[in-house]
Amino acid sequence: MNAPAIEAIDLVKRFGAADGRPAVDGVSFAVPQGTVLGLLGPNGAGKTTTVRMMTTLSEPTSGTARVAGYDVRTEPDMVRRNMGLTGQAATVDELLTGRENIRMIGGLYGIGRRDLARRGDQLLEQFSITEAADRPVKTYSGGMRRRIDLAVSLIASPPVLFLDEPTTGLDPRSRADLWEVLRGLVAQGTTLLLTTQYLEEADQLADDIVVVDRGRIIAEGTPLQLKQQAGRASLVVTVSHAEDLETARRLLAESGAEVHVDVGARQLTASAEGIADLTRVAGWLHRHDVDVDDIGLSRPSLDDVFLSLTGRRAEDDNEEVG
């Protein structure tokens, strides 16, 4: 089997007094090549500190990490050669044009002029910046600035990309556009580590999720596995006629689940195992001539996962330091 593209090995980071609580406390995980890991947690959980250690911007107090097979402590130069990083704030020069930013960073990587021009044109087209390529970045919208920042981080075609809160401050349309770009990168084989407070973002992009709180991992798994930990799915039925509520309640109760009835909304809710329960109940309702406006499964969200794991929502904490 291929080695992980990204691996954290008992990472610890302390700031200040040695006997204080670590900002990161024994974090370990592995990210297979060509996949996306979502690193989630409330503000102050240790997400950015973990990324800074894994990208050689901060020395671990103990433990280590490997990126593309290279150790961040003993081979930092090789780590930097094999990764890209997009931080919380755009790092491009606003006085330069998009094309000039790409040329500047490409030159720092030592990419030849001809190859740089070709690669730059590819990135400008890939990120839909071609028409604005020769305008100063200060004239770009927020979404365009994030795209040029991401394009610059990919100029050397790194196999691993770290994205620290990449869509913070973007409007929903710009965020969705950037998601499509990221999906394209993964389809081409790039491995992503994504930190975010937008739970929908992790749900949309991540193959696996690691949840951190107060510097420690408190849960990990696929988005579906984590949602299942937060509770069972619910079957939600909205009947067309209020007089059918009692019949529908009796039918749903046959599954052994407790049924909640909202008379005003003509809606019934009961716990369910999955699609099989939905299909069975739909058949019962049809056979008893109960018309429905809507029937479906409602699964716990990742926000429900946060609430069940930490007792608070993802945004309900102080700003992260370090």
Side-chain angles (χ1 to χ4, degrees):
M1 295 180 65
N2 293 330
I6 306 171
E7 190 174 10
I9 306 166
D10 200 25
L11 278 175
V12 175
K13 183 67 176 181
R14 293 181 180 275
F15 297 101
D19 58 350
R21 179 173 63 86
V24 176
D25 190 3
V27 165
S28 298
F29 57 78
V31 188
Q33 296 178 24
T35 66
V36 182
L37 177 76
L39 187 60
L40 271 65
N43 282 332
K47 305 185 301 296
T48 293
T49 302
T50 298
V51 168
R52 288 180 60 82
M53 287 189 287
M54 301 191 80
T55 55
T56 76
L57 295 176
S58 179
E59 180 81 10
T61 303
S62 64
T64 191
R66 296 191 184 100
V67 176
Y70 299 103
D71 191 287
V72 299
R73 304 190 75 149
T74 61
E75 303 167 288
D77 289 342
M78 292 304 297
V79 169
R80 290 190 283 268
R81 287 177 180 270
N82 286 274
M83 52 145 273
L85 170 64
T86 297
Q88 294 182 15
T91 56
V92 291
D93 190 322
E94 293 190 346
L95 298 179
L96 299 179
T97 68
R99 194 184 306 276
E100 288 168 343
N101 269 284
I102 288 177
R103 288 175 179 169
M104 178 181 68
I105 299 301
L108 293 175
Y109 273 107
I111 301 173
R113 182 175 299 179
R114 182 175 299 177
D115 288 341
L116 181 55
R118 176 184 54 80
R119 179 65 177 151
D121 287 343
Q122 289 176 347
L123 288 169
L124 290 167
E125 181 176 356
Q126 180 179 6
F127 288 88
S128 303
I129 312 172
T130 301
E131 293 185 2
D134 297 311
R135 284 169 33 203
V137 170
K138 66 181 180 181
T139 68
Y140 288 12
S141 67
M144 289 177 64
R145 291 188 191 201
R146 295 306 284 168
R147 292 204 302 272
I148 189 63
D149 201 40
L150 189 54
V152 165
S153 70
L154 293 170
I155 189 64
S157 302
V160 175
L161 185 61
F162 291 87
L163 305 173
D164 191 13
E165 309 274 3
T167 62
T168 297
L170 297 189
D171 60 80
R173 174 62 184 273
S174 297
R175 185 175 297 133
D177 288 344
L178 190 54
W179 290 350
E180 285 305 309
V181 170
L182 297 178
R183 290 188 185 101
L185 293 176
V186 175
Q188 295 168 18
T190 304
T191 303
L192 303 184
L193 187 150
L194 169 78
T195 78
T196 182
Q197 290 183 70
Y198 295 114
L199 304 181
E200 181 189 6
E201 186 161 87
D203 209 0
Q204 287 278 340
L205 297 174
D207 297 293
D208 291 288
I209 290 174
V210 169
V211 183
V212 294
D213 190 30
R214 295 183 172 89
R216 294 184 176 182
I217 293 176
I218 58 173
E220 52 189 316
T222 67
L224 180 58
Q225 287 170 340
L226 292 180
K227 290 176 191 177
Q228 290 173 337
Q229 289 181 28
R232 298 175 64 186
S234 296
L235 178 63
V236 183
V237 178
T238 304
V239 300
S240 302
H241 309 291
E243 56 267 27
D244 288 330
L245 277 170
E246 178 55 30
T247 301
R249 186 204 62 77
R250 178 172 49 80
L251 293 172
L252 266 66
E254 289 184 9
S255 66
E258 181 179 350
V259 182
H260 173 74
V261 180
D262 185 336
V263 176
R266 306 191 311 279
Q267 192 172 83
L268 304 96
T269 306
S271 60
E273 294 294 339
I275 295 296
D277 283 348
L278 185 151
T279 303
R280 183 168 55 253
V281 169
W284 293 344
L285 294 169
H286 177 71
R287 287 193 296 272
H288 286 78
D289 297 320
V290 175
D291 294 329
V292 300
D293 287 344
D294 191 32
I295 181 170
L297 282 176
S298 174
R299 296 189 181 277
S301 67
L302 286 180
D303 207 21
D304 296 323
V305 172
F306 263 88
L307 192 59
S308 67
L309 291 172
T310 69
R312 62 192 187 282
R313 300 290 180 183
E315 66 273 12
D316 295 339
D317 210 334
N318 297 321
E319 290 297 319
E320 184 164 350
V321 294

